[in-house]
Amino acid sequence: PHLPNFSNLRAEHLTDAARTVQSRYEDAFAKFEDEVRSKLDASPSDTSIDYMDFMSKLDRINTPLHYVKRIRTLMASTNGMDDVLEAAGEVEDIIRFRHGLSEPIVSALRQLEKQLEEGGSTTGLDVQRLRAVRHLLHEAEDEGYFLSSEKERQKLADLASDIKTVEGELQELCRLPPEMQRSPIEFVTLVYEILGLKTEWAKMLGYDNYADWCLRSRVASSTEEIKKMHADIAEKALPIPDEILAYARTGGSNISEELRVYFLLDSVLDGMFNLCTALFGIVVEEQADNVNGWHRDVRLFHVSNAEDGSHLASFYLDPFMRRFKLGTEFTAPLIAGSSIDGLKPLVYISCKIKTPTWDDDPAYLTLDDTVALFHEFGHALQHLLADVEIGNLSGAHNIEEDASEFVSQMMELWLFEEQFLPVVAKHAKTGETIPPEVMEKLKRERQLRKGRELLHRLVLGSLELELNSGFDPKGDESIIATQRRIAEQYLPPVDIPAKSDMSLLKVIFENNAGGKRTSQYRYLFSEIMSADAFQVFKDAGFRNEQEMKRIGKKFRTAILEKASACPAEESYRDFGGKDASADSFYEALRS
């Protein structure tokens, strides 16, 4: 496949490209807008819109802007030097989509929505198309198209601008080293301002609070549903078992680092790719030459169908930590695959594995690194194997936020099965697998860590939900007191933050500023789905190759290939034949 050359990418290229594509976009969009307006004006009472003609044209006009924004994210996250971050900020100001406030475009979208609803189909392409149309209509709603006056639309835009500015200030504050951060009052002041702005913004759009706006396109349809999930989990997790209290006091063992000698990067990759071949019928092969990546460490892989060898997608792996690179693991699309244009997905995975001392030294992973790699490849699979009409609208990046961790968390679970771990974990010098007694210690450590992590997830999910729905900034309880009250409800005493400790609030508001909106609960919500799905494989017997292949193929067609083309809960029912049950998740808590 012909892929972009990233090897000489510079900050100035980014801003030049943004200006060029925006200029071309303005011309192309104006012509398309006139074309649609003429069609609507010709027969205003009985206009039928051709879905494929309209949506494909709009997508082709929008695609260059999407691509530049994705390159901006790539550069800012993998090479965060001052000139790159400055250019990335300029791109945010340059790139502007116009369809959300365009009268003819929104009118055509509403007509398409009506046509698809009247068609009555609840399966297949019509569902995918209706979701794509509604995605664009949601964007129009967020732009203020449906507000009654230009004055209101301007006020909404001003609020959105203010939110972006204050969240930017908060991000800058949180990036400072602790010794450079001033009084917590500065952080708390920004948080109160953000909450007030977001509440006002959501109410302008007709929602009772910001959380309700966030939940309009989630699997969980209400704050009450999320609260019930939290309450059900808390009933099983509390009171906190003595072993988790002891684990929290000691901080856990160093077993992840101790096992580094068992996890060679290439061996882990081979094991992970072979698992995906066995389950999902794909082959992953590395392209060693002419990678043309943005750094010399970047590796390039191609994904093909095991049955016929047809090319499906490609992805880059940027494995190592380095200066100016974002210090977290993440996966993101560069090109969203689209069947109507024959575009194949292109994705990148970024990890933070310790760089080998010398160029010819092997790369060792900690157990945590290995879990993170499996997790991120789960995200990548949803992009790589998506088989949808218009990837920018139906791709994996538009999966409901609360189901977005489902596949990635399920991929993690394979690592802790005795039948699979020896495939990826072999001693670098002796070739021996992890001894049984160490394996038991590892699994026990994992269970205790997950138990402690679950309590933190309950706190973060409950705190975020309350702040974005029921919290009164002018009420008697301060935001710090709210943090402490919810922390005391769930956390081991040693983990409860002191009054001056804003760590829980920082996690929430930094994530919100990065685009994750009222979504801390998603980890537990997705974990219920992942535990239930993994149990389907487990019940069939991991050594039953024929059943593993059958279930894996069903998972690929029902979950991975669908991406966001149909509701996540429907995709899950197509796979499992029922809604996800929490039984397997709760069983893991008890074991």
Side-chain angles (χ1 to χ4, degrees):
H2 178 71
L3 297 175
N5 186 341
F6 296 110
S7 59
N8 295 313
L9 203 56
R10 300 290 182 269
E12 59 270 22
H13 299 157
L14 189 58
T15 50
D16 288 347
R19 293 188 184 97
T20 299
V21 299
Q22 186 67 37
S23 177
R24 292 174 180 171
Y25 167 86
E26 298 291 353
D27 292 340
F29 184 78
K31 291 176 183 177
F32 179 59
E33 195 176 38
D34 288 342
E35 175 188 325
V36 175
R37 184 183 292 109
S38 297
K39 184 174 179 60
L40 292 171
D41 290 346
S43 52
S45 61
D46 185 29
T47 302
S48 178
I49 304 295
D50 184 298
Y51 175 90
M52 187 55 68
D53 179 67
F54 176 88
M55 295 292 278
S56 62
K57 285 179 180 177
L58 180 59
D59 183 61
R60 286 166 190 150
I61 293 168
N62 287 344
T63 290
L65 299 191
H66 286 300
Y67 184 65
V68 170
K69 285 175 70 72
R70 288 167 185 156
I71 297 298
R72 170 216 172 267
T73 302
L74 166 70
M75 292 183 66
S77 56
T78 60
N79 179 23
M81 297 182 69
D82 288 344
D83 60 335
V84 173
L85 294 179
E86 183 179 347
E90 290 181 33
V91 169
E92 282 295 287
D93 294 332
I94 293 169
I95 297 296
R96 285 289 179 270
F97 293 92
R98 306 294 183 195
H99 55 266
L101 288 175
S102 166
E103 189 277 328
I105 300 304
V106 175
S107 294
L109 288 168
R110 296 175 83 174
Q111 176 61 30
L112 275 174
E113 182 182 39
K114 180 181 176 183
Q115 289 172 203
L116 290 164
E117 286 175 341
E118 289 176 349
S121 176
T122 58
T123 57
L125 274 181
D126 283 346
V127 172
Q128 178 177 169
R129 291 175 173 183
L130 184 57
R131 282 170 64 82
V133 168
R134 285 177 175 165
H135 176 78
L136 291 172
L137 287 173
H138 278 160
E139 290 182 345
E141 179 187 34
D142 295 347
E143 293 268 6
Y145 179 86
F146 301 109
L147 296 177
S148 59
S149 69
E150 183 58 37
K151 183 178 180 180
E152 285 187 304
R153 282 189 283 275
Q154 187 57 55
K155 182 179 179 182
L156 188 78
D158 290 343
L159 283 170
S161 178
D162 290 345
I163 291 168
K164 181 180 177 182
T165 298
V166 181
E167 287 189 329
E169 293 175 11
L170 183 138
Q171 286 179 306
E172 289 297 321
L173 182 65
C174 291
R175 288 192 191 107
L176 293 174
E179 63 273 13
M180 293 181 65
Q181 294 186 17
R182 296 183 286 277
S183 164
I185 294 174
E186 185 176 4
F187 172 80
V188 172
T189 301
L190 290 173
V191 165
Y192 271 106
E193 187 173 359
I194 290 168
L195 289 175
L197 289 168
K198 286 186 172 180
T199 298
E200 186 178 1
W201 185 85
K203 286 185 174 181
M204 279 200 71
L205 292 176
Y207 297 90
D208 288 341
N209 52 62
Y210 188 71
D212 284 350
W213 172 80
C214 293
L215 296 178
R216 71 181 175 184
S217 53
R218 302 280 177 89
V219 178
S221 58
S222 69
T223 56
E224 293 307 314
E225 184 177 346
I226 301 169
K227 289 176 182 177
K228 183 179 185 307
M229 179 194 73
H230 285 154
D232 290 345
I233 293 173
E235 186 179 347
K236 301 290 193 301
L238 300 176
I240 303 172
D242 290 342
E243 57 266 33
I244 292 180
L245 290 171
Y247 179 82
R249 286 193 295 269
T250 62
S253 73
N254 199 34
I255 192 169
S256 177
E257 187 69 32
E258 293 169 3
L259 291 174
R260 183 186 288 272
V261 71
Y262 285 94
F263 295 103
L264 282 167
L265 176 58
D266 285 340
S267 297
V268 171
L269 289 172
D270 286 344
M272 184 171 70
F273 297 155
N274 288 336
L275 173 67
C276 291
T277 298
L279 294 178
F280 309 128
I282 60 173
V283 175
V284 182
E285 296 178 303
E286 183 169 12
Q287 177 180 318
D289 300 319
N290 301 314
V291 172
N292 296 320
W294 50 90
H295 189 273
R296 61 188 177 88
D297 292 334
V298 173
R299 301 168 67 171
L300 174 61
F301 299 84
H302 302 295
V303 183
S304 59
N305 256 322
E307 284 187 4
D308 58 15
S310 59
H311 175 70
L312 296 172
S314 302
F315 68 93
Y316 295 98
L317 175 64
D318 188 349
F320 302 124
M321 291 188 296
R322 60 177 177 271
R323 194 180 180 196
F324 300 120
K325 181 181 172 183
L326 194 66
T328 58
E329 299 92 354
F330 61 94
T331 299
L334 289 168
I335 297 174
S338 296
S339 62
I340 60 171
D341 286 326
L343 289 175
K344 301 297 183 182
L346 179 62
V347 177
Y348 66 102
I349 302 169
S350 180
C351 297
K352 55 175 187 176
I353 300 164
K354 184 178 179 181
T355 308
T357 305
W358 306 105
D359 287 347
D360 56 352
D361 282 354
Y364 294 103
L365 282 66
T366 64
L367 176 62
D368 290 343
D369 292 332
T370 307
V371 171
L373 181 58
F374 271 67
H375 181 101
E376 294 306 323
F377 197 66
H379 284 305
L381 285 169
Q382 293 182 279
H383 293 284
L384 297 168
L385 300 185
D387 184 12
V388 296
E389 279 189 329
I390 301 176
N392 289 326
L393 298 175
S394 303
H397 53 285
N398 284 333
I399 290 171
E400 291 89 338
E401 188 73 48
D402 46 11
S404 64
E405 300 293 330
F406 158 38
V407 177
S408 55
Q409 289 176 331
M410 194 193 80
M411 285 296 292
E412 290 182 30
L413 296 176
W414 290 97
L415 270 175
F416 297 92
E417 291 301 322
E418 294 180 14
Q419 295 93 328
F420 179 71
L421 187 63
V423 175
V424 298
K426 294 180 181 178
H427 197 284
K429 294 181 179 179
T430 66
E432 295 176 351
T433 59
I434 294 177
E437 65 275 12
V438 178
M439 180 67 183
E440 285 304 311
K441 181 181 177 184
L442 182 158
K443 291 175 74 173
R444 185 59 180 157
E445 168 81 11
R446 162 82 172 178
Q447 188 177 36
L448 291 170
R449 180 187 289 197
K450 291 294 288 184
R452 186 185 185 190
E453 178 187 282
L454 179 145
L455 299 171
H456 280 263
R457 295 292 185 208
L458 282 171
V459 171
L460 290 169
S462 300
L463 177 58
E464 182 184 47
L465 192 66
E466 180 161 335
L467 293 178
N468 284 330
S469 60
F471 180 73
D472 180 6
K474 297 179 181 179
D476 294 336
E477 185 177 59
S478 71
I479 198 168
I480 298 173
T482 302
Q483 174 187 249
R484 187 167 183 87
R485 169 173 56 81
I486 295 175
E488 288 175 343
Q489 186 177 349
Y490 296 115
L491 292 183
V494 69
D495 289 340
I496 296 172
K499 287 185 178 180
S500 60
D501 184 351
M502 303 289 114
S503 55
L504 296 174
L505 290 167
K506 283 182 178 179
V507 169
I508 291 169
F509 283 91
E510 276 197 282
N511 270 269
N512 287 178
K516 302 294 186 183
R517 301 169 300 201
T518 312
S519 59
Q520 288 296 326
Y521 78 93
R522 76 187 189 277
Y523 291 101
L524 293 177
F525 198 95
S526 292
E527 200 158 351
I528 288 172
M529 298 173 72
S530 64
D532 192 63
F534 191 70
Q535 193 64 42
V536 176
F537 289 95
K538 201 168 187 176
D539 289 343
F542 294 134
R543 299 190 186 279
N544 188 333
E545 293 183 13
Q546 187 173 356
E547 274 296 280
M548 288 297 101
K549 185 176 181 179
R550 181 189 67 80
I551 297 169
K553 183 177 181 179
K554 194 172 184 182
F555 191 88
R556 174 178 167 178
T557 56
I559 305 290
L560 300 177
E561 291 181 358
K562 293 286 181 64
S564 64
C566 76
E569 62 270 33
E570 289 185 18
S571 293
Y572 193 88
R573 282 194 290 270
D574 287 346
F575 165 68
K578 60 178 181 59
D579 290 330
S581 165
D583 291 347
S584 297
F585 176 74
Y586 292 144
E587 182 61 32
L589 291 182
R590 290 190 291 267
S591 61

